mmCIF file of all heavy atoms in Angstrom:
data_model
loop_
_atom_site.group_PDB
_atom_site.id
_atom_site.type_symbol
_atom_site.label_atom_id
_atom_site.label_comp_id
_atom_site.label_asym_id
_atom_site.label_seq_id
_atom_site.Cartn_x
_atom_site.Cartn_y
_atom_site.Cartn_z
ATOM 1 N N GLY A 399 107.947 118.055 109.520
ATOM 2 C CA GLY A 399 108.019 119.484 109.205
ATOM 3 C C GLY A 399 109.450 119.971 109.087
ATOM 4 O O GLY A 399 109.782 120.770 108.203
ATOM 5 N N GLN A 400 110.318 119.482 109.965
ATOM 6 C CA GLN A 400 111.719 119.887 109.921
ATOM 7 C C GLN A 400 112.427 119.348 108.678
ATOM 8 O O GLN A 400 113.315 119.999 108.118
ATOM 9 C CB GLN A 400 112.430 119.400 111.186
ATOM 10 C CG GLN A 400 111.959 120.090 112.457
ATOM 11 C CD GLN A 400 112.503 119.437 113.713
ATOM 12 O OE1 GLN A 400 113.017 118.319 113.681
ATOM 13 N NE2 GLN A 400 112.389 120.131 114.846
ATOM 14 N N LEU A 401 112.012 118.151 108.232
ATOM 15 C CA LEU A 401 112.655 117.545 107.060
ATOM 16 C C LEU A 401 112.145 118.096 105.741
ATOM 17 O O LEU A 401 112.696 117.783 104.680
ATOM 18 C CB LEU A 401 112.438 116.029 107.083
ATOM 19 C CG LEU A 401 113.208 115.246 108.146
ATOM 20 C CD1 LEU A 401 112.765 113.788 108.148
ATOM 21 C CD2 LEU A 401 114.711 115.339 107.906
ATOM 22 N N ALA A 402 111.082 118.889 105.791
ATOM 23 C CA ALA A 402 110.487 119.406 104.556
ATOM 24 C C ALA A 402 111.266 120.574 103.965
ATOM 25 O O ALA A 402 110.842 121.159 102.968
ATOM 26 C CB ALA A 402 109.037 119.816 104.818
ATOM 27 N N GLY A 403 112.400 120.918 104.553
ATOM 28 C CA GLY A 403 113.215 122.023 104.045
ATOM 29 C C GLY A 403 113.756 121.739 102.658
ATOM 30 O O GLY A 403 113.957 120.583 102.272
ATOM 31 N N PRO A 404 114.045 122.770 101.880
ATOM 32 C CA PRO A 404 114.424 122.600 100.468
ATOM 33 C C PRO A 404 115.741 121.868 100.246
ATOM 34 O O PRO A 404 115.938 121.266 99.186
ATOM 35 C CB PRO A 404 114.485 124.038 99.938
ATOM 36 C CG PRO A 404 114.643 124.897 101.156
ATOM 37 C CD PRO A 404 113.925 124.196 102.255
ATOM 38 N N ALA A 405 116.664 121.914 101.209
ATOM 39 C CA ALA A 405 117.970 121.283 100.995
ATOM 40 C C ALA A 405 118.006 119.825 101.435
ATOM 41 O O ALA A 405 118.998 119.126 101.198
ATOM 42 C CB ALA A 405 119.059 122.061 101.740
ATOM 43 N N VAL A 406 116.948 119.350 102.070
ATOM 44 C CA VAL A 406 116.957 117.993 102.622
ATOM 45 C C VAL A 406 117.061 116.944 101.524
ATOM 46 O O VAL A 406 117.836 115.997 101.617
ATOM 47 C CB VAL A 406 115.709 117.759 103.492
ATOM 48 C CG1 VAL A 406 115.566 116.279 103.837
ATOM 49 C CG2 VAL A 406 115.796 118.590 104.766
ATOM 50 N N VAL A 407 116.284 117.108 100.463
ATOM 51 C CA VAL A 407 116.266 116.100 99.408
ATOM 52 C C VAL A 407 117.647 115.967 98.760
ATOM 53 O O VAL A 407 118.123 114.850 98.514
ATOM 54 C CB VAL A 407 115.205 116.436 98.351
ATOM 55 C CG1 VAL A 407 115.370 115.557 97.111
ATOM 56 C CG2 VAL A 407 113.804 116.267 98.935
ATOM 57 N N ALA A 408 118.298 117.091 98.481
ATOM 58 C CA ALA A 408 119.624 117.034 97.872
ATOM 59 C C ALA A 408 120.602 116.309 98.775
ATOM 60 O O ALA A 408 121.420 115.498 98.317
ATOM 61 C CB ALA A 408 120.125 118.447 97.566
ATOM 62 N N ASN A 409 120.518 116.567 100.069
ATOM 63 C CA ASN A 409 121.452 115.933 100.998
ATOM 64 C C ASN A 409 121.145 114.457 101.213
ATOM 65 O O ASN A 409 122.066 113.642 101.338
ATOM 66 C CB ASN A 409 121.445 116.689 102.321
ATOM 67 C CG ASN A 409 122.305 117.933 102.278
ATOM 68 O OD1 ASN A 409 123.526 117.851 102.320
ATOM 69 N ND2 ASN A 409 121.677 119.091 102.166
ATOM 70 N N ARG A 410 119.871 114.083 101.265
ATOM 71 C CA ARG A 410 119.563 112.661 101.433
ATOM 72 C C ARG A 410 119.991 111.884 100.184
ATOM 73 O O ARG A 410 120.425 110.729 100.277
ATOM 74 C CB ARG A 410 118.080 112.442 101.758
ATOM 75 C CG ARG A 410 117.136 112.507 100.589
ATOM 76 C CD ARG A 410 115.675 112.490 101.000
ATOM 77 N NE ARG A 410 115.258 111.240 101.620
ATOM 78 C CZ ARG A 410 114.833 110.169 100.951
ATOM 79 N NH1 ARG A 410 114.811 110.196 99.628
ATOM 80 N NH2 ARG A 410 114.438 109.093 101.597
ATOM 81 N N ARG A 411 119.893 112.532 99.005
ATOM 82 C CA ARG A 411 120.339 111.884 97.777
ATOM 83 C C ARG A 411 121.838 111.611 97.839
ATOM 84 O O ARG A 411 122.306 110.524 97.455
ATOM 85 C CB ARG A 411 120.014 112.761 96.571
ATOM 86 C CG ARG A 411 120.398 112.146 95.230
ATOM 87 C CD ARG A 411 120.094 113.068 94.066
ATOM 88 N NE ARG A 411 118.668 113.313 93.923
ATOM 89 C CZ ARG A 411 118.103 114.514 93.981
ATOM 90 N NH1 ARG A 411 118.852 115.593 94.189
ATOM 91 N NH2 ARG A 411 116.801 114.650 93.824
ATOM 92 N N MET A 412 122.607 112.562 98.336
ATOM 93 C CA MET A 412 124.052 112.373 98.429
ATOM 94 C C MET A 412 124.416 111.353 99.510
ATOM 95 O O MET A 412 125.370 110.582 99.357
ATOM 96 C CB MET A 412 124.737 113.713 98.705
ATOM 97 C CG MET A 412 124.504 114.775 97.628
ATOM 98 S SD MET A 412 124.870 114.194 95.947
ATOM 99 C CE MET A 412 126.647 113.993 96.044
ATOM 100 N N LEU A 413 123.650 111.327 100.597
ATOM 101 C CA LEU A 413 123.873 110.315 101.636
ATOM 102 C C LEU A 413 123.631 108.917 101.083
ATOM 103 O O LEU A 413 124.415 107.991 101.324
ATOM 104 C CB LEU A 413 122.967 110.578 102.834
ATOM 105 C CG LEU A 413 123.357 111.739 103.752
ATOM 106 C CD1 LEU A 413 122.215 112.055 104.714
ATOM 107 C CD2 LEU A 413 124.625 111.400 104.534
ATOM 108 N N ASP A 414 122.546 108.761 100.341
ATOM 109 C CA ASP A 414 122.247 107.453 99.768
ATOM 110 C C ASP A 414 123.311 107.031 98.765
ATOM 111 O O ASP A 414 123.663 105.848 98.674
ATOM 112 C CB ASP A 414 120.874 107.478 99.089
ATOM 113 C CG ASP A 414 119.730 107.490 100.092
ATOM 114 O OD1 ASP A 414 119.950 107.080 101.246
ATOM 115 O OD2 ASP A 414 118.624 107.931 99.732
ATOM 116 N N LEU A 415 123.828 107.985 98.009
ATOM 117 C CA LEU A 415 124.877 107.680 97.045
ATOM 118 C C LEU A 415 126.123 107.154 97.742
ATOM 119 O O LEU A 415 126.775 106.218 97.278
ATOM 120 C CB LEU A 415 125.219 108.934 96.228
ATOM 121 C CG LEU A 415 126.309 108.796 95.166
ATOM 122 C CD1 LEU A 415 125.873 107.824 94.083
ATOM 123 C CD2 LEU A 415 126.632 110.159 94.554
ATOM 124 N N ALA A 416 126.447 107.742 98.894
ATOM 125 C CA ALA A 416 127.624 107.316 99.644
ATOM 126 C C ALA A 416 127.392 106.004 100.387
ATOM 127 O O ALA A 416 128.265 105.140 100.438
ATOM 128 C CB ALA A 416 128.026 108.416 100.638
ATOM 129 N N GLU A 417 126.202 105.846 100.962
ATOM 130 C CA GLU A 417 125.929 104.692 101.812
ATOM 131 C C GLU A 417 125.575 103.436 101.035
ATOM 132 O O GLU A 417 125.973 102.329 101.415
ATOM 133 C CB GLU A 417 124.773 105.015 102.766
ATOM 134 C CG GLU A 417 125.100 106.101 103.791
ATOM 135 C CD GLU A 417 123.881 106.529 104.580
ATOM 136 O OE1 GLU A 417 122.764 106.073 104.246
ATOM 137 O OE2 GLU A 417 124.038 107.330 105.521
ATOM 138 N N GLU A 418 124.830 103.585 99.954
ATOM 139 C CA GLU A 418 124.337 102.420 99.232
ATOM 140 C C GLU A 418 124.289 102.700 97.733
ATOM 141 O O GLU A 418 123.229 102.946 97.151
ATOM 142 C CB GLU A 418 122.955 102.025 99.747
ATOM 143 C CG GLU A 418 122.451 100.683 99.216
ATOM 144 C CD GLU A 418 121.087 100.345 99.788
ATOM 145 O OE1 GLU A 418 121.020 100.100 101.005
ATOM 146 O OE2 GLU A 418 120.093 100.359 99.029
ATOM 147 N N PRO A 419 125.430 102.690 97.068
ATOM 148 C CA PRO A 419 125.433 102.907 95.616
ATOM 149 C C PRO A 419 124.532 101.893 94.916
ATOM 150 O O PRO A 419 124.371 100.762 95.381
ATOM 151 C CB PRO A 419 126.908 102.699 95.240
ATOM 152 C CG PRO A 419 127.668 102.917 96.513
ATOM 153 C CD PRO A 419 126.766 102.457 97.611
ATOM 154 N N GLN A 420 123.947 102.306 93.815
ATOM 155 C CA GLN A 420 122.999 101.457 93.110
ATOM 156 C C GLN A 420 123.599 100.102 92.733
ATOM 157 O O GLN A 420 122.929 99.070 92.820
ATOM 158 C CB GLN A 420 122.499 102.168 91.845
ATOM 159 C CG GLN A 420 121.457 103.240 92.098
ATOM 160 C CD GLN A 420 120.041 102.656 92.232
ATOM 161 O OE1 GLN A 420 119.854 101.555 92.714
ATOM 162 N NE2 GLN A 420 119.055 103.419 91.797
ATOM 163 N N ASP A 421 124.840 100.080 92.292
ATOM 164 C CA ASP A 421 125.439 98.811 91.887
ATOM 165 C C ASP A 421 125.609 97.869 93.067
ATOM 166 O O ASP A 421 125.516 96.644 92.914
ATOM 167 C CB ASP A 421 126.787 99.047 91.200
ATOM 168 C CG ASP A 421 126.634 99.308 89.707
ATOM 169 O OD1 ASP A 421 125.513 99.127 89.191
ATOM 170 O OD2 ASP A 421 127.628 99.680 89.064
ATOM 171 N N ARG A 422 125.877 98.424 94.228
ATOM 172 C CA ARG A 422 125.995 97.577 95.416
ATOM 173 C C ARG A 422 124.631 96.978 95.772
ATOM 174 O O ARG A 422 124.518 95.803 96.114
ATOM 175 C CB ARG A 422 126.549 98.385 96.589
ATOM 176 C CG ARG A 422 126.863 97.542 97.817
ATOM 177 C CD ARG A 422 127.384 98.395 98.946
ATOM 178 N NE ARG A 422 127.691 97.579 100.112
ATOM 179 C CZ ARG A 422 127.840 98.065 101.329
ATOM 180 N NH1 ARG A 422 127.729 99.362 101.557
ATOM 181 N NH2 ARG A 422 128.112 97.259 102.344
#
Side-chain angles (χ1 to χ4, degrees):
Q400 293 170 346
L401 289 173
V406 169
V407 168
N409 279 285
R410 79 189 294 274
R411 182 182 296 121
M412 300 309 292
L413 285 168
D414 286 339
L415 180 64
E417 294 172 353
E418 190 179 292
Q420 283 277 33
D421 273 351
R422 187 181 180 198

